[in-house]
């Protein structure tokens, strides 16, 4: 069979833990308030896992959901690509662990470590594999458990209040026609800004990797973030990338029917939308309920927006994200 002209999303799924953690709950653990968090980020609550499962458990549920919607079984998947900055174990990556849970043995599986923009990179990889005939059905998964890796202390309050747990997945395969599916993607990275958002360790440059006498009061295993630098670059990067990706496919930003941005901060997304002239009716956000689930924000948002009936056949969708690295980009898809 010859390779298809376009790839598209054949199925989608999401999974968030049941336990809701409100801003007031966090205010009981550190010096913060519901008012501060809502005003600065738009977040009202997030979900935390309440069992022993890590990001692979959430990924499995989201993946089975996506497979069901695509009308496929795990045996139909010939490539699994996963994104997570909170893998179940240090190595091997979540893709191998998820593959074991889905009882698929043999086909390709690998991980991409691109934090908040991981899902865009993963979708672009899946699109390339499908269009070049390297794979037929690609399971693309973003999943995170942040709640066990953030610090519940005043010095980390600007980071901790932002993050939540969750997973989302899509199955990408051949588009039934040449009008629908992925039209273009635009991806970037700028390693000069590694220090603006990172977790320092444990890493290989430390000898030993986990130093003698290490305690959990050491900041280096917790995320460190220069929030205002991330904020400014995120607004600029996503706005420019949406303009680039639309122009590269012969469209204008006015043609976008639904903007589905990464959920890091509602204020970031409002400024991106304002710069692009996109009103609330043409943008989806759910950060108020889940916070930032990093690699999982875009597939969770897609699943919810579809469920709400806000996306119809033929709509031009634009996904955009920005995160640690810095890495960022956009993708354009005709639904
Ligand atoms: N509760 C109460 N006060 C707080 C909190 C908190 N949780 N966090 C910080 N503050 C205080 C600060 O200490 C500061 O106090 P000061 O004026 O007395 O010094 C004040 O609030 C203002 O702090 P800023 O950092 O200037 O606040 P800002 O308006 O920039 O908002 C925020 C901070 C929400 C972190 C914002 O900068 C942001 O969202 N940045 C982008 C974050 C982001 O996109 N991260 C992506 C991560 S995803 C990934 O790739 C993993």
């Amino acid at each position: 069979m010859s390779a298809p002209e376009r790839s598209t999303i054949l199925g989608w799924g999401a999974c968030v833990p049941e336990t809701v953690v409100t801003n007031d709950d966090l205010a009981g653990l550190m010096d913060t308030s519901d008012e501060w968090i809502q005003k600065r980020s738009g977040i009202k609550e997030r979900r935390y896992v309440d069992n022993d499962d890590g990001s692979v458990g959430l990924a499995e549920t989201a993946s089975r959901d996506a497979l069901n919607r695509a009308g496929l079984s795990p045996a139909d998947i010939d490539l699994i690509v996963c994104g997570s900055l909170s893998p179940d174990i240090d190595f091997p990556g979540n893709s191998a662990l998820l593959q074991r849970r889905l009882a698929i043995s043999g086909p390709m599986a690998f991980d991409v470590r691109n934090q908040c923009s991981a899902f865009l990179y993963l979708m672009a990889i899946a699109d390339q594999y499908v269009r070049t005939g390297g794979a037929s059905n690609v399971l693309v998964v973003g999943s995170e458990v942040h709640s066990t890796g953030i610090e519940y202390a005043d010095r980390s309050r600007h980071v901790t209040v932002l993050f939540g747990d969750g997973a989302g997945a899509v199955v990408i395969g051949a588009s039934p026609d040449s009008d629908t599916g992925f039209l273009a993607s635009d991806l970037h990275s700028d390693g000069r800004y590694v220090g603006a958002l990172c977790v320092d360790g444990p890493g290989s440059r430390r000898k030993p990797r986990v130093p003698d006498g290490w305690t959990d009061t050491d900041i280096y295993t917790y995320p460190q973030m220069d929030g205002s630098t991330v904020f400014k670059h995120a607004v600029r990067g996503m706005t420019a990338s949406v303009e680039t990706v639309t122009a590269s496919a012969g469209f204008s930003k006015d043609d976008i029917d639904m903007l589905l941005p990464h959920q890091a901060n509602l204020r970031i997304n409002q400024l991106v939308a304002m710069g692009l002239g996109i009103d609330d009716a043409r943008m989806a956000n759910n950060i108020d309920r889940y916070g930032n689930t990093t690699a999982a924000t875009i597939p969770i948002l897609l699943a919810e927006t579809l469920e709400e009936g806000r996306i119809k056949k033929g709509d031009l969708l634009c996904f955009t994200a920005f995160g640690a690295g810095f890495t960022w980009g956009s993708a354009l898809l005709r639904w």
Side-chain angles (χ1 to χ4, degrees), residues 32 36 40 116 157-158 197 225 227 230 264-265 267 292 323-324:
T32 190
W36 192 96
R40 304 284 175 137
C116 292
R157 62 182 178 170
H158 63 298
L197 181 53
M225 180 178 78
V230 177
N265 186 319
R267 286 163 56 219
N292 182 351

Side-chain angles (χ1 to χ4, degrees), residues 31-33 36-37 40-41 85 115-116 157-158 161-163 197 225 227-228 230-231 234 262 264-265 267-268 292 294 322-324:
D31 184 13
T32 190
S33 67
W36 192 96
I37 299 169
R40 304 284 175 137
S41 70
L85 62 72
Q115 303 81 36
C116 292
R157 62 182 178 170
H158 63 298
V161 300
L162 301 178
F163 291 98
L197 181 53
M225 180 178 78
S228 64
V230 177
F231 194 104
H262 170 52
N265 186 319
R267 286 163 56 219
I268 292 176
N292 182 351
T294 311
F322 187 96

